[in-house]
Amino acid sequence: MNRFFAALARFVVRYRFVVVALWIVVAVVASKSLPSMGSEVNNNNSQFLPVSAPSQQAAVLATPILGNTNRQSPVLVVASTTSGTLTAADQQNIAHVATALRGVTGVLSAKEAGVAPDGRAAEVTVNISATQDDITAQKTDLVSISHALAASGAPAGLQYHLAGSVATNVANQNSSNKTGGKVQALSFIFIIVLLLIIFRAPLAALITLLPPGFALVISMRFIGGLGAHGLQISEITELLLIVLLLGAGTDYGLFLVFRVREAIQAGRDPREAVAYSLARVGESISASAGTVILALLTLLFATFGIYKDLGVPLALGVAVMLLAGLTLLPALLAIFGRAAFWPSRLHATDRRGLWGRVAARLVRRPGVTLGIGVLVFAALATAALGYHSSGFGGATSAPKGTNAAIGNTILTTDFPRASANPANLILRYREPVWDHPDVVTTAQGVLEASHDFTHLAGPLNPTGSALAPAQFTALHATLGAPSHLPAVEPPGLGVPVAAYNAYRATALFVGAGGHTIQFEATLRAGGQQSTAAMNATPAIRQVVAKAASRSGAEASGVAGEAAALYDVSNTSNHDLIHIIPIAIVAIAILLALVLRSLVAPLYLVLSVGLSYLAALGLSTLVFVDLGHSGGLTFILPFLMFVFLLALGEDYNILVMTRIREEAHDRPLREAVTEAVGRTGPTITSAGLVLAGSFLVLVVASSGPGSSQIRDIGFGLAIGILMDTFFVRTLLVPSTVALLGRLNWWPSRLGRHTHTPDRPAADDEPVPTTSEMVP
């Protein structure tokens, strides 16, 4: 493997200017020819559920009423007056708007849905051609609708606003783009400042950060292209990509830059030092990135789309970042040479350093260090028993002050509570309910008898005014399908206005063929976004199934936000249980191959598990026990384990490969002291960069769904800091010292304490300067 990286080093250093030029060309072409990643972000977690989820099956069952979300999306237009009730002129304008919207590109249908009971607002339901998961097309269609509303010539005091889940999702996507830009800017600033402190050389800081920056620009365009072809991208994916590439990319850069500086300090020519260093740490950097890529690709086994679709974008980004770290970074270092470290002075330093002195102390009594560390981490881990989850819905409310937020407020204030964000109780019958209205009466009776609902609207009471079963059948015989009726009753029908309006409103509760009906319900447990409503879903499903059985329905289901959130919770927990073992086995196999040992991977993976539980416990203490929040975001335990497993093993690989390298010609405890002394500053700097990058999420998160981003940023930052300052630099070296040569079993090194006559790995031939200069 060293021969491969030595050959790569010769090529990169020899053709350094060509390498830099190629990266610039790729970045420019990708930026010009591919869509941005931000334009493809979807913030609704329920859109990432598998089709087998009960709430998704219920949504399919409700297609005759709610429409097919695979072919269209519903949008609500809310018209409201600033004073009094809607006038005749207002209602004429609303009817004109409904007609005008039918001619807007992307609009499949538009119709008046009715006037609010207080007479201050009215709804127009619009179906657009964009599907629920096509956020770009939704945004385009909503812009067209907004332009049509602005040109409607509304009377003074009449205002139009967009409302509903689609308008909310588009508003949140615009907000997430701003958050992503803020995270990116703050991450760059933080990393640059920290690198300036680390290197005390402006050019070295810039050179270290440039490759991750290039990788981020290119990756975001590649992923945007995948999003345009069907890959679902969440806001969490976008923000994690920014932090991961800038933070971990800088980490990998530090692995190489520190080694180059060390080689120059030892007296090597700068270009020779670059080739020498890349040949030595190339395998470690590749293995480190490989652990992250492998851990991310295990997410493909997930069933929850937000996990499954997280793997490919982030793995692709890390792969691009690795390529930049192995080519662009050494090319830049070879171009600038010693000037990269100006004005700091490159001279030989104490080989032990602070971390070397710490290691020298801990190897004298490694058992004490290990014992104290395990007890402290175990104590923190017990706090994880108080973990509670929340945030299953993602960003479910629109950002404050947006058009969608105003529309949703009007919808909630002026219309019955159940119509704003209801639970949809769906039943399907063999015969049209217009011919057999008694089945509706039976189903409604079972639902009301359960006492699980505070409000229930259905085919026989769509507006609060009850329709008798016989009246319902008679109105259908006289008026036909309710979905085809105009807002104002045609003259000569002889139907009372209240009965006409009530029957017309049943179009929202009865499918076109009369076989499928729905009840819109407000749960006694709480609002659809609440944890209590989510937890009540199994009971609600049982009640609906009972109503279906008693009334003779052939199929039933519960749709709506709470049901979807319950399915998100179940799917997420299922993936947590099944993906973690796969990730552990995959990373352990990779560690065994890199370290040529079957023993070391065992305690290295265990150390990750311990730091994971400690970090989760500390996050629970801060936000749940002390902060009194409703819980931590459901995605945190999953992401913490995957990222800490992958990123923690990065540092493991760096320190363990250096210990192995030094152990070829030193006693093991002396090798541990030397390796920790050399890698300690690198790991500390890398950990601070990566943890700080995740803490940027805490600072930059704002608006709906910000608590999820805050939890993720804090939890990952705490876990990385624990890994950096305690696990990799104290607990792991202590374990190595205790196990001795058993660390490397069954490799040859595991059978010998050391071989002083064997030349050190650093003494292997490297390319000369003349071989690298074109």
Side-chain angles (χ1 to χ4, degrees):
M1 186 61 72
N2 278 353
R3 291 181 179 179
F4 169 79
F5 287 106
L8 176 64
R10 281 195 299 271
F11 176 85
V12 170
V13 173
R14 184 178 181 86
Y15 299 104
R16 51 197 178 276
F17 292 102
V18 175
V19 170
V20 173
L22 284 175
W23 275 99
I24 294 174
V25 169
V26 171
V28 172
V29 171
S31 299
K32 295 292 184 181
S33 60
L34 295 173
S36 67
M37 180 179 175
S39 65
E40 305 298 330
V41 169
N42 187 335
N43 284 301
N44 186 353
N45 286 343
S46 65
Q47 293 301 316
F48 294 88
L49 281 170
V51 294
S52 60
S55 59
Q56 297 296 89
Q57 293 178 338
V60 172
L61 186 65
T63 297
I65 302 173
L66 305 179
N68 188 341
T69 58
N70 292 324
R71 297 179 181 176
Q72 60 189 39
S73 298
V75 178
L76 294 178
V77 175
V78 181
S80 64
T81 180
T82 55
S83 60
T85 58
L86 295 171
T87 65
D90 292 336
Q91 294 195 37
Q92 287 178 354
N93 187 261
I94 294 169
H96 167 72
V97 163
T99 302
L101 287 177
R102 297 186 194 111
V104 173
T105 302
V107 173
L108 300 178
S109 65
K111 63 181 179 180
E112 298 169 75
V115 178
D118 60 10
R120 296 174 57 88
E123 281 183 272
V124 177
T125 59
V126 181
N127 281 319
I128 59 177
S129 58
T131 60
Q132 289 277 23
D133 57 358
D134 191 347
I135 187 71
T136 302
Q138 288 178 353
K139 187 174 183 179
T140 301
D141 289 348
L142 291 194
V143 169
S144 299
I145 293 173
S146 297
H147 288 163
L149 295 177
S152 65
L158 182 65
Q159 298 178 344
Y160 290 97
H161 298 282
L162 301 178
S165 60
V166 172
T168 299
N169 201 21
V170 170
N172 280 320
Q173 192 232 30
N174 293 333
S175 175
S176 69
N177 287 343
K178 295 178 182 178
T179 302
K182 187 176 179 182
V183 168
Q184 190 169 323
L186 289 177
S187 296
F188 270 112
I189 293 171
F190 171 80
I191 293 173
I192 278 289
V193 171
L194 192 56
L195 290 177
L196 286 172
I197 296 172
I198 292 170
F199 290 120
R200 295 184 294 278
L203 195 53
L206 183 61
I207 289 173
T208 305
L209 188 55
L210 269 179
F214 268 83
L216 179 62
V217 169
I218 295 169
S219 298
M220 292 185 82
R221 291 293 174 169
F222 284 169
I223 296 165
L226 293 176
H229 288 82
L231 179 69
Q232 293 234 42
I233 302 171
S234 68
E235 180 185 15
I236 292 173
T237 303
E238 181 184 29
L239 297 180
L240 285 179
L241 181 76
I242 295 171
V243 172
L244 182 62
L245 294 199
L246 293 182
T250 303
D251 279 8
Y252 299 153
L254 288 172
F255 292 177
L256 179 62
V257 175
F258 268 106
R259 197 65 182 259
V260 169
R261 187 174 70 173
E262 180 184 329
I264 294 176
Q265 288 173 335
R268 294 183 183 272
D269 174 82
R271 285 197 287 274
E272 181 184 342
V274 171
Y276 166 84
S277 300
L278 182 59
R280 294 300 174 270
V281 301
E283 182 180 5
S284 297
I285 294 174
S286 299
S288 297
T291 61
V292 178
I293 293 172
L294 192 59
L296 292 171
L297 289 180
T298 61
L299 298 180
L300 293 176
F301 293 98
T303 53
F304 184 33
I306 204 170
Y307 294 154
K308 189 172 185 177
D309 293 334
L310 193 69
V312 171
L314 296 187
L316 175 62
V318 174
V320 175
M321 179 183 70
L322 172 62
L323 187 60
L326 295 177
T327 57
L328 180 58
L329 178 58
L332 291 171
L333 289 170
I335 290 173
F336 290 98
R338 287 179 174 272
F341 301 98
W342 181 89
S344 62
R345 303 176 66 179
L346 298 178
H347 53 79
T349 58
D350 177 11
R351 289 182 62 86
R352 292 177 63 187
L354 172 63
W355 283 110
R357 292 191 291 273
V358 170
R361 289 177 176 270
L362 70 87
V363 296
R364 294 187 194 128
R365 302 182 68 184
V368 174
T369 302
L370 184 61
I372 294 174
V374 169
L375 286 176
V376 171
F377 274 64
L380 287 173
T382 58
L385 296 174
Y387 166 79
H388 300 292
S389 60
S390 66
F392 288 95
T396 51
S397 59
K400 187 177 180 180
T402 60
N403 186 283
I406 297 171
N408 288 338
T409 300
I410 295 171
L411 196 65
T412 304
T413 303
D414 293 326
F415 288 84
R417 185 182 174 196
S419 69
N421 188 11
N424 305 101
L425 316 181
I426 315 298
L427 300 103
R428 188 178 68 206
Y429 298 91
R430 294 182 184 276
E431 301 295 332
V433 295
W434 297 308
D435 300 334
H436 304 279
D438 54 303
V439 299
V440 179
T441 304
T442 302
Q444 184 171 325
V446 173
L447 295 174
E448 290 175 341
S450 70
H451 303 293
D452 287 323
F453 312 104
T454 59
H455 182 91
L456 198 67
L460 297 181
N461 61 337
T463 61
S465 300
L467 290 173
Q471 185 184 19
F472 179 59
T473 299
L475 287 170
H476 177 260
T478 302
L479 302 175
S483 59
H484 298 153
L485 295 177
V488 179
E489 179 184 350
L493 291 179
V495 177
V497 174
Y500 178 88
N501 288 335
Y503 179 72
R504 181 175 176 272
T506 63
L508 299 176
F509 299 90
V510 183
H515 297 275
T516 303
I517 68 171
Q518 75 154 332
F519 292 91
E520 289 188 344
T522 300
L523 304 188
R524 192 174 299 279
Q528 286 287 288
Q529 298 180 18
S530 68
T531 302
M534 178 191 73
N535 291 333
T537 297
I540 301 301
R541 284 175 173 162
Q542 287 182 358
V543 170
V544 173
K546 182 179 179 181
S549 176
R550 293 278 183 88
S551 64
E554 63 179 0
S556 66
V558 179
E561 190 174 343
L565 301 189
Y566 180 82
D567 291 339
V568 167
S569 173
N570 275 359
T571 306
S572 177
N573 291 336
H574 173 273
D575 286 342
L576 185 66
I577 294 171
H578 288 83
I579 297 298
I580 283 180
I582 297 174
I584 288 175
V585 171
I587 297 301
I589 291 173
L590 183 60
L591 286 173
L593 294 174
V594 172
L595 300 177
R596 289 91 165 170
S597 168
L598 294 178
V599 175
L602 299 178
Y603 64 79
L604 293 179
V605 170
L606 284 175
S607 70
V608 169
L610 186 60
S611 64
Y612 160 72
L613 292 173
L616 182 60
L618 188 56
S619 297
T620 302
L621 278 174
V622 171
F623 292 118
V624 178
D625 298 330
L626 299 179
H628 304 293
S629 67
L632 298 173
T633 179
F634 74 99
I635 200 174
L636 181 62
F638 191 91
L639 286 185
M640 278 183 66
F641 190 89
V642 171
F643 276 83
L644 293 183
L645 177 66
L647 297 173
E649 299 305 352
D650 283 2
Y651 303 155
N652 273 335
I653 289 171
L654 181 65
V655 69
M656 291 296 288
T657 52
R658 190 62 184 260
I659 291 175
R660 181 184 178 88
E661 181 181 323
E662 298 293 342
H664 278 97
D665 64 332
R666 300 173 187 272
L668 184 60
R669 295 199 174 190
E670 184 180 333
V672 169
T673 302
E674 180 69 18
V676 172
R678 285 299 184 184
T679 61
T682 306
I683 292 177
T684 302
S685 302
L688 288 173
V689 167
L690 192 56
S693 299
F694 281 114
L695 283 176
V696 167
L697 294 178
V698 179
V699 177
S701 60
S702 60
S706 61
S707 62
Q708 293 189 85
I709 308 302
R710 175 208 65 187
D711 293 351
I712 292 169
F714 182 85
L716 290 174
I718 288 297
I720 289 166
L721 288 175
M722 287 181 174
D723 261 6
T724 299
F725 288 97
F726 302 105
V727 178
R728 309 304 154 216
T729 46
L730 295 177
L731 301 188
V732 169
S734 297
T735 306
V736 174
L738 283 173
L739 292 178
R741 65 189 184 194
L742 288 177
N743 283 285
W744 317 113
W745 185 88
S747 68
R748 181 182 302 175
L749 189 60
R751 298 191 293 272
H752 303 281
T753 54
H754 68 287
T755 53
D757 296 332
R758 183 193 184 280
D762 285 354
D763 293 333
E764 294 173 5
V766 296
T768 63
T769 304
S770 60
E771 290 181 291
M772 297 177 289
V773 179

